[in-house]
Amino acid sequence: MVDSYEPARQRNGFASRSAMETPHATSIPFNRPHSSEHELDYLAEAIGQGRTAGDGPFTRRASQLLKELTGAGCVLLTTSCTDALEMSAVLLDIQPGDEVIMPSFTFMSAANAFVLRGGVPVFVDCRADTLNLDERLVEGAITARTRAIVVVHYGGVGCEMEAITGLAERYGLALIEDNAHGLGGSYRGRPLGSFGCMATQSFHETKNIQCGEGGALLVNDTELLARAEVIREKGTDRSRFFRGQVDKYRWIDVGSSYLLSDVLAALLTSQLESFDKIQARRQAIWHRYHGELADWAAENGVSQPMVPDGCMQPAHLYYLLLPDMRNRQALIGHLAEEGVQATFHYQPLHTAPAGVRYGRVAAGGCPVSEQIAERLIRLPLFAGLAEMDVARVIEAVRAFEVS
Ligand SMILES: *Cc1c(COP(=O)(O)O)cnc(C)c1O
């Protein structure tokens, strides 16, 4: 089996459309999970090896590949990025009332992880250019109860890590990177995921590298490592037992079941081995959108992504910012009619029902996050998107006039 860079219509149930039908008989999905070279062989091997639980040979292979990619001190595969974030909250010993600073414009998993420990998310606005946590607003949100800062590198474009790591150090706060978008990206030559005491990755089917559902906790502070292994294994020292370091395993701490199955680690290994190929294809699509939509964007008052000098972005998503919500909705509708599935993104957490109940918003509110959420549209971007389909997306976008 070869890497499926061409849309695998047969396998996805779009077969048997005749060429006589309308030109848009086949629609272009927003995402299709990548299927890589050796995955079926690896799956067969994982199932045949006599053990399917975690911490097996494929877990070690995938962890090693991730370590090389991220420069992380240690990589622990988990059942999801959400679970890795939960592990980070347990590892930091978050107590009821402890505050954690995070962007409002992000996925709810970062907030949930701390709320589950009784923590209070403090939502800070994002920058209008990169859509990342606005580092200039962080210091004003720090109180005597603040324990940690969570950053999210939106679209894999690094946050202003120099300013943020400086603040974390000055105030003695833990820094966690939710690096779900940022695998393979870097900031001033240093891999994303290597700045925080911990970082989290996602291998959900919507991410560049995927195994259906999966994640990883990158542990850069080695003092956290022993306890991280225990928390991932239901609060037991089972990992040490398997290494022959203790003669029985016991319940020694709080924990849960956060270890990825070796079957999914087999899928993940095959994806990670295709990393360069997947990334090359995603980068080509990202840059084609960026170049070929530039004139249209300028003429229509639409903003394209901004990547600051010193940031290498891993082509996780391609977005456009329309002038307002009405035009954004109209463009989504127009593209749907053209057979192109495009979509909006995060709804700000500080206005979400659970965000209001469990968190608080930093002084000044999050006006930029509220605006961005209404104006942003994401275009289809996946390694299997064929050149002719990229052209179709571009043509369909260009046919839309902002009013
Ligand atoms: C996808 C994503 C998550 C959640 O990942 P799961 O592996 O599905 O738990 C968390 N944070 C961000 C920024 C994400 O994009």
Side-chain angles (χ1 to χ4, degrees), residues 128-139:
D129 53 3
T130 57
L131 318 190
N132 279 331
L133 178 69
D134 191 334
E135 71 286 354
R136 296 159 298 193
L137 302 176
V138 170
E139 191 162 18

Side-chain angles (χ1 to χ4, degrees), residues 79-85 106-110 152-154 178-181 200-207 212-215 316 345-346:
T79 31
S80 67
C81 180
T82 301
D83 283 340
L85 286 161
T106 189
F107 200 62
M108 69 297 295
S109 290
V152 182
H153 308 296
Y154 187 72
D178 176 348
N179 197 34
H181 298 185
T200 62
Q201 304 292 157
S202 172
F203 307 114
H204 184 259
E205 69 164 16
T206 50
K207 302 307 195 293
E213 302 273 359
H316 173 58
H345 210 183
Y346 303 130

Side-chain angles (χ1 to χ4, degrees), residues 386-398:
E387 282 303 326
M388 58 175 261
D389 286 341
V390 180
R392 248 180 75 193
V393 176
I394 291 168
E395 192 189 332
V397 172
R398 279 180 180 160

Side-chain angles (χ1 to χ4, degrees), residues 218-286:
L218 313 185
V219 185
N220 296 318
D221 176 351
T222 47
E223 283 184 19
L224 295 169
L225 184 58
R227 206 170 159 239
E229 279 190 336
V230 169
I231 290 165
R232 189 176 61 158
E233 276 278 28
K234 298 115 187 152
T236 71
D237 51 1
R238 190 161 153 182
S239 299
R240 299 188 67 211
F241 173 69
F242 280 136
R243 288 196 295 266
Q245 293 164 331
V246 287
D247 59 5
K248 55 184 174 303
Y249 77 85
R250 298 175 308 159
W251 181 32
I252 57 171
D253 201 340
V254 293
S256 192
S257 187
Y258 294 130
L259 178 61
L260 188 74
S261 156
D262 218 45
V263 177
L264 289 176
L267 261 183
L268 186 60
T269 301
S270 110
Q271 295 260 318
L272 287 166
E273 286 176 353
S274 301
F275 183 78
D276 291 344
K277 252 165 125 178
I278 293 171
Q279 288 303 104
R281 184 69 197 122
R282 295 187 73 107
Q283 289 286 0
I285 297 167
W286 196 101

Side-chain angles (χ1 to χ4, degrees), residues 326-349:
R326 186 178 55 79
N327 275 290
R328 193 270 305 270
Q329 292 308 101
L331 179 54
I332 290 177
H334 162 79
L335 292 175
E337 278 172 23
E338 298 292 319
V340 175
Q341 193 189 4
T343 181
F344 53 87
H345 210 183
Y346 303 130
Q347 300 308 295
L349 297 177

Side-chain angles (χ1 to χ4, degrees), residues 44-94:
E45 198 180 326
I47 293 163
Q49 69 196 355
R51 59 186 308 290
T52 48
D55 249 344
F58 282 111
T59 303
R60 282 190 287 278
R61 276 170 74 173
S63 305
Q64 183 56 36
L65 288 167
L66 276 170
K67 212 174 149 176
E68 288 160 17
L69 208 55
T70 59
C74 182
V75 173
L76 297 177
L77 296 191
T78 60
T79 31
S80 67
C81 180
T82 301
D83 283 340
L85 286 161
E86 280 183 40
M87 284 180 67
S88 77
V90 177
L91 273 162
L92 293 180
D93 253 326
I94 293 296

